[in-house]
Amino acid sequence: MEVVQGSQALEKPPGRSVLTVGNFDGLHLGHQSIMQTVTARAAALEGLAAAYTFEPHPRRVLRPEQSPKLLTTIEQKLELFEAAGLDLVIVEPFDLAFAKLPAERFVRDILHGRIGPSEVYVGYDFRYGRDREGSMRTLTELGPHLGFSVTIIPEVKLGDRDVNSTRIRELLGEGRVGEAASLLGRPYTVRGTVAEGDRRGRTIGFPTLNLASENEILPARGVYAGALRFLDEGAHAGESFSIVTNVGKRPTFKADDPVLAEAHVLDFSADVYGRRIELTFEHHLRDEQRFESVEALREQIAKDVARGRELLGAPR
């Protein structure tokens, strides 16, 4: 998959392409429905399957106080695009100057002039141009005059609920990681570097890896079962290990600790400080709680690990 930093970097339109446009935070089932349509149409036309997205998220620039925390980093989003089968992704730097571009000029100069798609597919709520003045009507009227068709993809539902990024954020905020995974089409993941901690876990028999998270969202405070994957080129690169992760402030030890993600890796022992890892949150085991003694905490962690093994199918 080719990644182009800004539409101005295209020397010429990339030939016959089927394009989708949007922010695509989370690349959830709704977004995946669009990607499936785009890749299928591109294959039928023997053209390129392409996406045009923005970095940073437009709300970060236009209304930072209302900007949502994002489900995916740009690195994760690009990997998900590639996994969806796209051939080309154009990442447009979004700033105040770009935000002032009138809707019609955006369609004429950017979509048509620089990218030149044969077909465009967008979600039902896509807005664009200065003050979000561009509507579906503008796009569907201008597109055919400029030589590309426009198709609006309806919202995807799972059961009787809409699939959207806002709903997924709400579920993660409630610790309902299984339901969030059903909307994402995969478990929720966060990435970061293993940071030096105070080594409290070692003293009670359950050493943990402290994550310096690159993601903006951690699930609600509590204990979860999932997996750890090493992302860099060191030992165990690409391997996955079962984990039980605590997200919280460690109230048994210190009430004013920051919220951290600490993963106890099952059947693993190695010095991995500074390594880059990814954690998945697959099962919610319990909410965060304070224990009256370290021994009571140790006993509960042992139960958490046993339950995590059971849910993950990890050997005892």
Side-chain angles (χ1 to χ4, degrees), residues 16-293:
R16 181 181 295 152
S17 64
V18 178
L19 180 72
T20 183
V21 186
N23 293 307
F24 305 113
D25 182 36
L27 259 290
H28 53 61
L29 292 181
H31 300 140
Q32 291 168 37
S33 174
I34 298 175
M35 302 303 150
Q36 290 164 6
T37 301
V38 166
T39 54
R41 288 298 301 153
L45 296 174
E46 298 183 343
L48 296 176
Y52 179 63
T53 192
F54 309 96
E55 178 68 18
H57 192 290
R59 285 193 196 173
R60 287 284 156 86
V61 176
L62 300 174
R63 293 183 296 279
E65 71 286 352
Q66 300 177 16
S67 177
K69 290 185 177 182
L70 301 182
L71 296 164
T72 46
T73 64
I74 185 64
E75 176 190 53
Q76 289 173 310
K77 188 158 68 169
L78 290 174
E79 289 178 9
L80 290 165
F81 277 139
E82 185 167 25
L86 296 190
D87 303 302
L88 170 69
V89 175
I90 303 161
V91 182
E92 191 71 74
F94 194 93
D95 55 22
L96 288 174
F98 187 85
K100 294 176 181 177
L101 193 66
E104 185 168 335
R105 280 196 56 199
F106 172 77
V107 177
R108 290 184 180 276
D109 298 352
I110 306 296
L111 294 188
H112 171 65
R114 294 180 181 177
I115 304 174
S118 301
E119 300 178 5
V120 171
Y121 292 83
V122 292
Y124 70 99
D125 57 351
F126 178 60
R127 304 287 295 193
Y128 56 94
R130 182 179 55 203
D131 298 325
R132 291 170 54 87
E133 64 187 4
S135 66
M136 294 297 99
R137 179 177 178 180
T138 312
L139 190 60
T140 53
E141 287 179 351
L142 281 174
H145 289 292
L146 297 171
F148 61 86
S149 64
V150 177
T151 300
I152 311 303
I153 304 295
E155 187 165 31
V156 169
K157 288 182 177 291
L158 192 65
D160 61 348
R161 301 300 298 270
D162 298 335
V163 176
N164 57 58
S165 301
T166 298
R167 177 61 179 153
I168 295 168
R169 293 186 194 101
E170 291 172 352
L171 290 169
L172 292 173
E174 297 167 359
R176 297 159 67 180
V177 293
E179 291 177 64
S182 69
L183 302 188
L184 286 165
R186 63 186 184 280
Y188 181 66
T189 64
V190 298
R191 293 180 174 184
T193 304
V194 179
E196 185 82 42
D198 52 23
R199 301 175 185 259
R200 286 177 182 149
R202 294 179 185 276
T203 67
I204 60 174
F206 295 97
T208 59
L209 305 183
N210 293 356
L211 182 73
S213 180
E214 299 165 5
N215 289 76
E216 298 178 359
I217 298 175
L218 289 173
R221 287 153 60 173
V223 180
Y224 301 86
L228 176 149
R229 180 166 66 99
F230 287 96
L231 299 175
D232 54 22
E233 294 301 319
H236 309 291
E239 291 185 52
S240 292
F241 298 86
S242 296
I243 56 173
V244 171
T245 301
N246 182 78
V247 177
K249 295 189 173 187
R250 301 180 290 186
T252 302
F253 293 103
K254 191 176 179 183
D256 59 352
D257 271 1
V259 174
L260 297 171
E262 303 174 279
H264 172 65
V265 190
L266 277 57
D267 310 313
F268 179 86
S269 178
D271 183 355
V272 293
Y273 290 120
R275 295 288 302 276
R276 194 155 177 269
I277 61 174
E278 176 181 80
L279 307 182
T280 68
F281 295 85
E282 300 176 28
H283 306 280
H284 178 262
L285 302 182
R286 63 175 172 86
D287 294 338
E288 182 182 54
Q289 61 189 103
R290 183 181 183 280
F291 295 89
E292 294 302 317
S293 67

